Amino acid sequence: MQIMILKYSNGLISALPNTFNYIKKYNKNLSQIYIPNAFEPYPKYKKKFNKNKLKIIYIGRFNSNHDISIILQSAKYFLYKKKLNNISFDIYGYGENLKYIENYISKNNLINVNLKGKVQKNKIFSLCKKYDLALATITNTKGYQWGININKIYEYFNSSMPVIFSGNIPSNPVKKANCGYTCKNFSFLNLSNKILKFNVLSDKQKRKLSNNAKNFFDVQYNLKLQTKKMMKFLSA
């Protein structure tokens, strides 16, 4: 059915960045455009970072596509191997793996991890101002071969957050935005090392990453600009 639709379509709008060559196998003349999810921009601001501590935030689903375990393992590593008490993780979200997360935190006495529950979308901007660094962690899933369209990354960028991304995908938005670091091998040690690397940056260097995130959002995921782009494609 999908192949038939592609063969007889006049155009395709994709929310994933890496589908073009796949589509051309079935209809080489099909016009295509990449339009990711887009949002109204939040106000720009000069981000302030916490002194003598690092506050890390994760917002998202607790399901098989999102790797929360790597965050928990990193928290355990900092607490018991590195003996660091000034790095904390606040996890916001919901999903089928909630019980696993609760049990892991309890079993390992992770006093540096706080489960915060679901957060309303209109609260994300003000919430992110309290944090220094955001995490986006995905599992090694075949479906990500086409790229990602994950709202939490766009919300992080829109909120001027530096980001560490754990995953191996084409068209990595964190790399393209130059607003943080990427861990490709799904290793909590790699994630931990990237967190430590961020932690020793100066405020000026951290703010550069923050500004890069926001500037990238305002061009790539701005609702007004993406709407114009789509209307131009539809009218062609």
Side-chain angles (χ1 to χ4, degrees), residues 14-16 34-39 148-151 154 217 220-223 226:
S14 175
L16 299 175
Y34 164 56
I35 303 286
N37 291 355
F39 304 90
I148 57 172
N149 186 38
I150 299 179
N151 286 340
Y154 310 148
F217 173 90
Q220 298 296 327
Y221 308 116
N222 184 313
L223 180 60
Q226 289 298 333

PDB file of all heavy atoms in Angstrom, residues 14-16 34-39 148-151 154 217 220-223 226:
ATOM      1  N   SER A  14       7.840  15.201   4.484  1.00  0.00           N
ATOM      2  CA  SER A  14       8.382  14.256   5.466  1.00  0.00           C
ATOM      3  C   SER A  14       8.813  14.990   6.723  1.00  0.00           C
ATOM      4  O   SER A  14       9.468  16.032   6.648  1.00  0.00           O
ATOM      5  CB  SER A  14       9.578  13.505   4.877  1.00  0.00           C
ATOM      6  OG  SER A  14      10.171  12.666   5.859  1.00  0.00           O
ATOM      7  N   ALA A  15       8.451  14.418   7.872  1.00  0.00           N
ATOM      8  CA  ALA A  15       8.902  14.974   9.153  1.00  0.00           C
ATOM      9  C   ALA A  15      10.256  14.413   9.560  1.00  0.00           C
ATOM     10  O   ALA A  15      10.796  14.802  10.599  1.00  0.00           O
ATOM     11  CB  ALA A  15       7.870  14.688  10.248  1.00  0.00           C
ATOM     12  N   LEU A  16      10.807  13.516   8.744  1.00  0.00           N
ATOM     13  CA  LEU A  16      12.126  12.927   8.996  1.00  0.00           C
ATOM     14  C   LEU A  16      13.099  13.401   7.922  1.00  0.00           C
ATOM     15  O   LEU A  16      12.739  13.475   6.743  1.00  0.00           O
ATOM     16  CB  LEU A  16      12.044  11.402   9.005  1.00  0.00           C
ATOM     17  CG  LEU A  16      11.136  10.791  10.081  1.00  0.00           C
ATOM     18  CD1 LEU A  16      11.044   9.283   9.899  1.00  0.00           C
ATOM     19  CD2 LEU A  16      11.644  11.131  11.473  1.00  0.00           C
ATOM     20  N   TYR A  34      11.375  18.361   3.494  1.00  0.00           N
ATOM     21  CA  TYR A  34      11.491  18.004   4.911  1.00  0.00           C
ATOM     22  C   TYR A  34      10.920  19.132   5.754  1.00  0.00           C
ATOM     23  O   TYR A  34      11.395  20.265   5.705  1.00  0.00           O
ATOM     24  CB  TYR A  34      12.960  17.761   5.244  1.00  0.00           C
ATOM     25  CG  TYR A  34      13.294  17.765   6.727  1.00  0.00           C
ATOM     26  CD1 TYR A  34      12.642  16.913   7.616  1.00  0.00           C
ATOM     27  CD2 TYR A  34      14.281  18.633   7.228  1.00  0.00           C
ATOM     28  CE1 TYR A  34      12.961  16.917   8.965  1.00  0.00           C
ATOM     29  CE2 TYR A  34      14.603  18.631   8.573  1.00  0.00           C
ATOM     30  CZ  TYR A  34      13.938  17.775   9.437  1.00  0.00           C
ATOM     31  OH  TYR A  34      14.253  17.788  10.778  1.00  0.00           O
ATOM     32  N   ILE A  35       9.876  18.822   6.517  1.00  0.00           N
ATOM     33  CA  ILE A  35       9.246  19.786   7.431  1.00  0.00           C
ATOM     34  C   ILE A  35       9.152  19.139   8.812  1.00  0.00           C
ATOM     35  O   ILE A  35       8.277  18.312   9.063  1.00  0.00           O
ATOM     36  CB  ILE A  35       7.829  20.204   6.970  1.00  0.00           C
ATOM     37  CG1 ILE A  35       7.861  20.784   5.554  1.00  0.00           C
ATOM     38  CG2 ILE A  35       7.233  21.197   7.953  1.00  0.00           C
ATOM     39  CD1 ILE A  35       8.438  22.172   5.454  1.00  0.00           C
ATOM     40  N   PRO A  36      10.042  19.469   9.731  1.00  0.00           N
ATOM     41  CA  PRO A  36       9.964  18.889  11.084  1.00  0.00           C
ATOM     42  C   PRO A  36       8.836  19.539  11.883  1.00  0.00           C
ATOM     43  O   PRO A  36       8.236  20.532  11.445  1.00  0.00           O
ATOM     44  CB  PRO A  36      11.329  19.254  11.685  1.00  0.00           C
ATOM     45  CG  PRO A  36      11.679  20.542  11.011  1.00  0.00           C
ATOM     46  CD  PRO A  36      11.144  20.437   9.599  1.00  0.00           C
ATOM     47  N   ASN A  37       8.538  18.968  13.033  1.00  0.00           N
ATOM     48  CA  ASN A  37       7.616  19.639  13.942  1.00  0.00           C
ATOM     49  C   ASN A  37       8.156  21.032  14.254  1.00  0.00           C
ATOM     50  O   ASN A  37       9.362  21.221  14.388  1.00  0.00           O
ATOM     51  CB  ASN A  37       7.460  18.845  15.239  1.00  0.00           C
ATOM     52  CG  ASN A  37       6.732  17.540  15.025  1.00  0.00           C
ATOM     53  OD1 ASN A  37       6.249  17.256  13.937  1.00  0.00           O
ATOM     54  ND2 ASN A  37       6.656  16.712  16.056  1.00  0.00           N
ATOM     55  N   ALA A  38       7.262  22.001  14.368  1.00  0.00           N
ATOM     56  CA  ALA A  38       7.687  23.382  14.583  1.00  0.00           C
ATOM     57  C   ALA A  38       6.813  24.032  15.654  1.00  0.00           C
ATOM     58  O   ALA A  38       5.676  23.615  15.892  1.00  0.00           O
ATOM     59  CB  ALA A  38       7.615  24.168  13.273  1.00  0.00           C
ATOM     60  N   PHE A  39       7.363  25.073  16.284  1.00  0.00           N
ATOM     61  CA  PHE A  39       6.689  25.709  17.414  1.00  0.00           C
ATOM     62  C   PHE A  39       6.889  27.220  17.375  1.00  0.00           C
ATOM     63  O   PHE A  39       7.785  27.727  16.693  1.00  0.00           O
ATOM     64  CB  PHE A  39       7.253  25.169  18.737  1.00  0.00           C
ATOM     65  CG  PHE A  39       7.187  23.679  18.873  1.00  0.00           C
ATOM     66  CD1 PHE A  39       8.231  22.871  18.441  1.00  0.00           C
ATOM     67  CD2 PHE A  39       6.067  23.069  19.409  1.00  0.00           C
ATOM     68  CE1 PHE A  39       8.173  21.497  18.552  1.00  0.00           C
ATOM     69  CE2 PHE A  39       5.992  21.692  19.524  1.00  0.00           C
ATOM     70  CZ  PHE A  39       7.047  20.906  19.090  1.00  0.00           C
ATOM     71  N   ILE A 148      15.422  11.658  13.204  1.00  0.00           N
ATOM     72  CA  ILE A 148      14.475  11.784  14.314  1.00  0.00           C
ATOM     73  C   ILE A 148      13.629  13.045  14.173  1.00  0.00           C
ATOM     74  O   ILE A 148      14.006  14.003  13.496  1.00  0.00           O
ATOM     75  CB  ILE A 148      15.200  11.805  15.676  1.00  0.00           C
ATOM     76  CG1 ILE A 148      16.228  12.953  15.728  1.00  0.00           C
ATOM     77  CG2 ILE A 148      15.847  10.466  15.969  1.00  0.00           C
ATOM     78  CD1 ILE A 148      16.847  13.155  17.091  1.00  0.00           C
ATOM     79  N   ASN A 149      12.494  12.992  14.824  1.00  0.00           N
ATOM     80  CA  ASN A 149      11.607  14.159  14.924  1.00  0.00           C
ATOM     81  C   ASN A 149      11.061  14.147  16.350  1.00  0.00           C
ATOM     82  O   ASN A 149       9.925  13.767  16.594  1.00  0.00           O
ATOM     83  CB  ASN A 149      10.492  14.069  13.886  1.00  0.00           C
ATOM     84  CG  ASN A 149       9.636  15.319  13.853  1.00  0.00           C
ATOM     85  OD1 ASN A 149      10.134  16.431  13.990  1.00  0.00           O
ATOM     86  ND2 ASN A 149       8.334  15.140  13.667  1.00  0.00           N
ATOM     87  N   ILE A 150      11.919  14.562  17.295  1.00  0.00           N
ATOM     88  CA  ILE A 150      11.620  14.423  18.724  1.00  0.00           C
ATOM     89  C   ILE A 150      11.360  15.798  19.334  1.00  0.00           C
ATOM     90  O   ILE A 150      12.248  16.653  19.363  1.00  0.00           O
ATOM     91  CB  ILE A 150      12.770  13.711  19.454  1.00  0.00           C
ATOM     92  CG1 ILE A 150      12.961  12.300  18.889  1.00  0.00           C
ATOM     93  CG2 ILE A 150      12.504  13.648  20.945  1.00  0.00           C
ATOM     94  CD1 ILE A 150      14.096  11.514  19.528  1.00  0.00           C
ATOM     95  N   ASN A 151      10.149  15.974  19.839  1.00  0.00           N
ATOM     96  CA  ASN A 151       9.747  17.287  20.326  1.00  0.00           C
ATOM     97  C   ASN A 151      10.619  17.811  21.458  1.00  0.00           C
ATOM     98  O   ASN A 151      10.858  19.014  21.570  1.00  0.00           O
ATOM     99  CB  ASN A 151       8.288  17.250  20.782  1.00  0.00           C
ATOM    100  CG  ASN A 151       7.319  17.204  19.613  1.00  0.00           C
ATOM    101  OD1 ASN A 151       7.669  17.551  18.490  1.00  0.00           O
ATOM    102  ND2 ASN A 151       6.098  16.775  19.866  1.00  0.00           N
ATOM    103  N   TYR A 154      13.504  19.888  20.312  1.00  0.00           N
ATOM    104  CA  TYR A 154      13.095  21.217  19.856  1.00  0.00           C
ATOM    105  C   TYR A 154      12.755  22.111  21.039  1.00  0.00           C
ATOM    106  O   TYR A 154      13.061  23.315  21.027  1.00  0.00           O
ATOM    107  CB  TYR A 154      11.893  21.109  18.919  1.00  0.00           C
ATOM    108  CG  TYR A 154      12.062  20.108  17.796  1.00  0.00           C
ATOM    109  CD1 TYR A 154      10.977  19.411  17.283  1.00  0.00           C
ATOM    110  CD2 TYR A 154      13.321  19.842  17.247  1.00  0.00           C
ATOM    111  CE1 TYR A 154      11.126  18.492  16.259  1.00  0.00           C
ATOM    112  CE2 TYR A 154      13.482  18.915  16.229  1.00  0.00           C
ATOM    113  CZ  TYR A 154      12.385  18.246  15.738  1.00  0.00           C
ATOM    114  OH  TYR A 154      12.543  17.329  14.732  1.00  0.00           O
ATOM    115  N   PHE A 217      17.180  26.820  16.619  1.00  0.00           N
ATOM    116  CA  PHE A 217      15.725  26.646  16.677  1.00  0.00           C
ATOM    117  C   PHE A 217      15.023  27.729  15.868  1.00  0.00           C
ATOM    118  O   PHE A 217      14.096  27.442  15.095  1.00  0.00           O
ATOM    119  CB  PHE A 217      15.211  26.691  18.117  1.00  0.00           C
ATOM    120  CG  PHE A 217      13.707  26.676  18.187  1.00  0.00           C
ATOM    121  CD1 PHE A 217      13.025  25.478  18.263  1.00  0.00           C
ATOM    122  CD2 PHE A 217      12.965  27.854  18.118  1.00  0.00           C
ATOM    123  CE1 PHE A 217      11.635  25.450  18.268  1.00  0.00           C
ATOM    124  CE2 PHE A 217      11.574  27.834  18.129  1.00  0.00           C
ATOM    125  CZ  PHE A 217      10.910  26.627  18.209  1.00  0.00           C
ATOM    126  N   GLN A 220      15.387  26.750  12.183  1.00  0.00           N
ATOM    127  CA  GLN A 220      15.005  25.418  11.709  1.00  0.00           C
ATOM    128  C   GLN A 220      13.628  24.939  12.184  1.00  0.00           C
ATOM    129  O   GLN A 220      12.996  24.137  11.494  1.00  0.00           O
ATOM    130  CB  GLN A 220      16.062  24.398  12.153  1.00  0.00           C
ATOM    131  CG  GLN A 220      17.440  24.656  11.574  1.00  0.00           C
ATOM    132  CD  GLN A 220      17.493  24.529  10.073  1.00  0.00           C
ATOM    133  OE1 GLN A 220      16.773  23.715   9.477  1.00  0.00           O
ATOM    134  NE2 GLN A 220      18.329  25.328   9.430  1.00  0.00           N
ATOM    135  N   TYR A 221      13.190  25.384  13.352  1.00  0.00           N
ATOM    136  CA  TYR A 221      11.952  24.839  13.923  1.00  0.00           C
ATOM    137  C   TYR A 221      10.939  25.928  14.274  1.00  0.00           C
ATOM    138  O   TYR A 221      10.013  25.691  15.040  1.00  0.00           O
ATOM    139  CB  TYR A 221      12.284  24.007  15.168  1.00  0.00           C
ATOM    140  CG  TYR A 221      13.354  22.971  14.923  1.00  0.00           C
ATOM    141  CD1 TYR A 221      14.583  23.029  15.570  1.00  0.00           C
ATOM    142  CD2 TYR A 221      13.140  21.942  14.013  1.00  0.00           C
ATOM    143  CE1 TYR A 221      15.573  22.085  15.326  1.00  0.00           C
ATOM    144  CE2 TYR A 221      14.122  20.998  13.757  1.00  0.00           C
ATOM    145  CZ  TYR A 221      15.330  21.076  14.424  1.00  0.00           C
ATOM    146  OH  TYR A 221      16.314  20.138  14.174  1.00  0.00           O
ATOM    147  N   ASN A 222      11.122  27.074  13.697  1.00  0.00           N
ATOM    148  CA  ASN A 222      10.213  28.204  13.891  1.00  0.00           C
ATOM    149  C   ASN A 222       8.925  27.945  13.111  1.00  0.00           C
ATOM    150  O   ASN A 222       8.947  27.727  11.898  1.00  0.00           O
ATOM    151  CB  ASN A 222      10.912  29.479  13.400  1.00  0.00           C
ATOM    152  CG  ASN A 222      10.104  30.736  13.644  1.00  0.00           C
ATOM    153  OD1 ASN A 222       8.910  30.782  13.364  1.00  0.00           O
ATOM    154  ND2 ASN A 222      10.766  31.751  14.140  1.00  0.00           N
ATOM    155  N   LEU A 223       7.794  27.961  13.803  1.00  0.00           N
ATOM    156  CA  LEU A 223       6.517  27.617  13.189  1.00  0.00           C
ATOM    157  C   LEU A 223       6.187  28.507  11.994  1.00  0.00           C
ATOM    158  O   LEU A 223       5.742  28.033  10.945  1.00  0.00           O
ATOM    159  CB  LEU A 223       5.397  27.706  14.228  1.00  0.00           C
ATOM    160  CG  LEU A 223       3.986  27.365  13.737  1.00  0.00           C
ATOM    161  CD1 LEU A 223       3.915  25.942  13.205  1.00  0.00           C
ATOM    162  CD2 LEU A 223       2.975  27.561  14.870  1.00  0.00           C
ATOM    163  N   GLN A 226       8.550  27.601   9.020  1.00  0.00           N
ATOM    164  CA  GLN A 226       8.248  26.283   8.458  1.00  0.00           C
ATOM    165  C   GLN A 226       6.899  26.283   7.732  1.00  0.00           C
ATOM    166  O   GLN A 226       6.721  25.571   6.733  1.00  0.00           O
ATOM    167  CB  GLN A 226       8.278  25.221   9.552  1.00  0.00           C
ATOM    168  CG  GLN A 226       9.659  24.892  10.091  1.00  0.00           C
ATOM    169  CD  GLN A 226      10.585  24.316   9.048  1.00  0.00           C
ATOM    170  OE1 GLN A 226      10.162  23.697   8.073  1.00  0.00           O
ATOM    171  NE2 GLN A 226      11.890  24.527   9.240  1.00  0.00           N
TER     172      GLN A 226
END
